[in-house]
Amino acid sequence: AAASRVFAFRDARWAPDPVLEPSAAVRTPQPVPLVIDNGSFQTRAGWASADPAVPAEPLLRFRSLAARSRGARGGAGAETQVGNDLGSPEPLRWLLRSPFDRNVPVQLELQELLLDHVFQRLGVASQGCVDHPIVLTEAVCNPLYSRQMMSELLFECYQVPKVSYGVDSLYSFYHNRRQNWPCSGLVISSGYQCTHILPVLEGRLDAKNCKRINLGGCQAAVYLQRLLQLKYPGHFAAITLSRMEEILHEHSYIAEDYIEELQKWRSPEYYENNMHKMQLPFSNKLLGSTLTSEEKQERRQQQLRRLQELNARRREEKLQLDQERLDRLLYVQELLEDGQMDQFHKALVELNMDSAEELQSYINKLSLSVEQTKQKILQAEVNIEVDVVDSKPETPDLDPLGSEQSLEDVESINEFEPLFAEEQPEVEKPVAAVQPVFNLAEYHQLFLGTERIRAPEIVFQPSLIGEDQAGIAETMQYVLERYPKEQQAILVQNVFLTGGNTMYPGLKARVQKELLEMRPFQSSFQVHLACSPVLDAWYGARDWAVEYMTREEGWITRKDYEEKGGEYLKEHCASNVYVPIRLPKQAPRTTEALAPSRVLTSSTGNPCEQV
């Protein structure tokens, strides 16, 4: 039973997204909408069409991350990788960038990289324009500046014909509607960065009473990482955020009563029965070396051959570069000999030289360098075979021209100096098997006890991580108290849970318990969980796009964008409420305001009182 509770980290690598060839049904008889669920954790994209030939599911799912590598020294330049092309986020953790601040996109150059990735992998030609309508999700009560920049990116950069914005949790709410469901309800959406409480009345979002908690799956993963790093300081580097997210997704749960659950964990029997062991990767290689002297000798020879090959490759690259520069300088010298002075002086300026004498000096130096490099290559080919006779090997002379030895060659040889340490040519002692004094596998295990409930509990008790915020229960009660009792009873009849952070086992029971404590005696309520809390937002946006494909309701056309600005929003059943910018009107300047001296010099009353 104990062995069955040992779980190994999967450490799954992300497979790069293939370039998909769109079917003819997405362009005929007219281009179908492209649905993009632009989440702060994951981006999902796919087509919205009633044609059975078009898949009714997101074709792309990748993390909303981008990283720009610095590039290898002497090799190619910087390379930008997006989403699943990263492979694994941990080696590039300090290079990862996200376009989101909380759940609002603010870095539009990174957002453009994500959209380029979507269009490229879905087979949309985005060089000239994207001729498909776009359905894009946005945050609740999205700032007008963020929507303005997003509209500018879509209309100006991609030339889209029209776009529609909607709230992801409302799309999920309408996708999960059943026949007997009311149009009103209380939506609890918990994602990667934020948790929202959204009241929906008569099918429309009541934006004035929406509340946000700045906690989600990201903060839970960071909290769990700190807990385990304090508990296991010897495995500090192995406790990564990716592994913490795996623990949260597969081994954590929400306690129905947190204090009571902690009391249960104090029991040794309960701890043994419910504790999960996470196996970290480790190596069984022992510290004692079991290589014979012949194997060590062969290993040294292999290292010397690799060093020779490395030096030869560097010399060839250097010879090629010097030869190209020499050819360029000789071409400029020929211009001088032919009397083409204008082109000669122009070439000198490009080379950052002042005179023909300086040009001749550079030509002489490069010619000498090319000849020396050729001699080194020829000498290395002669001495390619290495004989090691002594037990103390001598480093072969890779560079016979000692005075002209390059700095890179010296550094390469110095790197291998520890490998050629002197050995004592004494009688070789028999190698004894080293027996470990403890179980290596058990030493590399993380024991998950109360951490399974402490990390996800922060959305109900933010004070656990020092946040001065209200939890889900307090915020839900605060929102309900802003309505009359009749509307409260309507809202609690349909409490809807959606978002990736609501997939913990026990969350629905916990919300029911909190509602039971805050609602009046013998009052009724119902709590529903989304069928697919992660993907229902995309499915709901697709349903809306298929239904409203030929209508004008909810679509912002390019004409609307040019006339009313990028922050303009056409409302629909799953959208935000549009609040236009209202600039304060300046009061007209009257004749009395233009002549203040008459007021101050009035003969009746106190002048200060009149002012």
Side-chain angles (χ1 to χ4, degrees), residues 4-23:
S4 63
R5 292 195 305 273
V6 178
F7 303 91
F9 286 106
R10 290 184 285 108
D11 291 336
R13 290 184 59 85
W14 303 336
D17 296 316
V19 178
L20 303 175
E21 187 68 27
S23 62

Side-chain angles (χ1 to χ4, degrees), residues 270-290:
Y270 187 87
Y271 180 86
E272 289 295 330
N273 293 333
N274 295 275
M275 177 260 300
H276 286 189
K277 300 177 183 178
M278 302 302 300
Q279 183 67 61
L280 292 171
F282 68 98
S283 176
N284 282 320
K285 187 177 180 180
L286 302 179
L287 298 178
S289 176
T290 58

Side-chain angles (χ1 to χ4, degrees), residues 513-561:
K513 174 183 174 295
E514 299 290 350
L515 282 171
L516 184 63
E517 293 178 353
M518 72 177 67
R519 296 299 299 156
F521 179 64
Q522 290 186 344
S523 62
S524 62
F525 56 84
Q526 293 185 16
V527 180
H528 305 278
L529 181 64
C531 297
S532 177
V534 175
L535 296 179
D536 278 353
W538 188 90
Y539 288 133
R542 176 191 174 276
D543 296 342
W544 183 90
V546 171
E547 183 179 355
Y548 289 82
M549 187 183 306
T550 57
R551 304 185 193 178
E552 295 184 359
E553 180 183 353
W555 293 102
I556 305 170
T557 61
R558 185 172 185 83
K559 183 179 179 181
D560 296 330
Y561 165 73

Side-chain angles (χ1 to χ4, degrees), residues 50-160:
D51 195 325
V54 179
E57 59 184 13
L59 300 178
L60 286 182
R61 294 177 60 184
F62 59 90
R63 289 287 296 270
S64 303
L65 296 172
R68 177 167 295 174
S69 59
R70 299 175 182 175
R73 185 176 62 180
E79 180 184 3
T80 302
Q81 297 174 319
V82 178
N84 292 333
D85 292 344
L86 295 170
S88 176
E90 292 309 325
L92 304 171
R93 177 63 66 180
W94 303 110
L95 297 176
L96 295 180
R97 296 293 179 268
S98 172
F100 292 88
D101 181 8
R102 294 293 181 180
N103 61 334
V104 177
V106 292
Q107 302 288 340
L108 270 300
E109 62 276 5
L110 296 177
Q111 183 65 58
E112 183 179 354
L113 291 177
L114 299 185
L115 293 177
D116 285 341
H117 184 77
V118 169
F119 297 143
Q120 178 189 5
R121 299 309 166 96
L122 288 181
V124 180
S126 59
Q127 296 297 329
C129 67
V130 176
D131 54 356
H132 292 269
I134 303 294
V135 179
L136 192 68
T137 60
E138 64 177 7
V140 182
C141 301
N142 193 34
L144 296 181
Y145 177 75
S146 177
R147 185 184 301 128
Q148 176 186 357
M149 298 301 294
M150 186 67 73
S151 296
E152 181 179 345
L153 177 64
L154 292 173
F155 284 109
E156 301 293 346
C157 181
Y158 296 106
Q159 305 291 325
V160 299

Side-chain angles (χ1 to χ4, degrees), residues 201-419:
L201 291 173
E202 300 299 331
R204 293 310 306 271
L205 174 68
D206 185 8
K208 292 183 178 180
N209 293 321
C210 293
K211 296 300 172 185
R212 182 182 71 179
I213 306 170
N214 288 325
L215 293 174
C218 176
Q219 289 75 22
V222 172
Y223 180 47
L224 180 60
Q225 183 185 35
R226 291 176 180 174
L227 288 177
L228 293 180
Q229 284 178 344
L230 287 173
K231 187 175 181 181
Y232 300 99
H235 304 307
F236 192 90
I239 301 175
T240 62
L241 279 177
S242 298
R243 289 171 178 166
M244 297 306 99
E245 292 172 358
E246 183 178 337
I247 291 176
L248 286 175
H249 295 164
E250 300 180 7
H251 302 279
S252 298
Y253 66 98
I254 296 286
E256 186 172 347
D257 190 317
Y258 183 66
I259 302 300
E260 182 181 345
E261 190 72 16
L262 287 180
Q263 293 296 330
K264 292 181 181 178
W265 278 99
R266 294 183 65 181
S267 170
E269 183 179 355
Y270 187 87
Y271 180 86
E272 289 295 330
N273 293 333
N274 295 275
M275 177 260 300
H276 286 189
K277 300 177 183 178
M278 302 302 300
Q279 183 67 61
L280 292 171
F282 68 98
S283 176
N284 282 320
K285 187 177 180 180
L286 302 179
L287 298 178
S289 176
T290 58
L291 295 178
T292 63
S293 59
E294 291 79 7
E295 293 174 343
K296 293 178 182 179
Q297 198 82 337
E298 180 64 26
R299 180 169 295 184
R300 291 193 199 96
Q301 293 182 11
Q302 293 177 1
Q303 291 167 351
L304 290 175
R305 292 191 190 97
R306 286 198 297 267
L307 181 58
Q308 283 183 331
E309 294 172 359
L310 176 63
N311 287 334
R313 188 162 54 249
R314 288 181 176 176
R315 290 193 187 99
E316 291 175 358
E317 294 175 356
K318 182 177 181 299
L319 177 62
Q320 182 180 0
L321 291 176
D322 290 346
Q323 189 65 47
E324 291 177 356
R325 293 172 58 191
L326 180 60
D327 294 342
R328 170 63 177 165
L329 296 180
L330 292 175
Y331 171 75
V332 175
Q333 191 179 37
E334 291 177 359
L335 294 178
L336 176 62
E337 296 174 354
D338 296 341
Q340 302 178 13
M341 301 305 296
D342 293 339
Q343 297 183 9
F344 173 73
H345 289 298
K346 184 178 179 181
L348 279 185
V349 173
E350 293 178 356
L351 294 173
N352 198 16
M353 295 183 183
D354 299 329
S355 61
E357 291 77 9
E358 185 177 0
L359 175 64
Q360 186 63 41
S361 175
Y362 273 100
I363 290 176
N364 295 336
K365 290 180 181 179
L366 274 179
S367 300
L368 181 60
S369 176
V370 168
E371 291 299 327
Q372 291 176 351
T373 306
K374 289 181 180 179
Q375 292 179 14
K376 293 178 185 179
I377 293 176
L378 292 176
Q379 187 66 25
E381 291 177 355
V382 172
N383 298 333
I384 195 64
E385 295 296 331
V386 179
D387 282 336
V388 181
V389 180
D390 256 346
S391 61
K392 176 183 175 182
E394 297 180 359
T395 304
D397 187 6
L398 300 178
D399 191 353
L401 300 176
S403 60
E404 299 295 331
Q405 189 175 18
S406 64
L407 180 61
E408 291 82 4
D409 297 347
V410 175
E411 292 176 351
S412 301
I413 296 174
N414 291 337
E415 290 176 1
F416 288 88
E417 282 183 358
L419 301 175

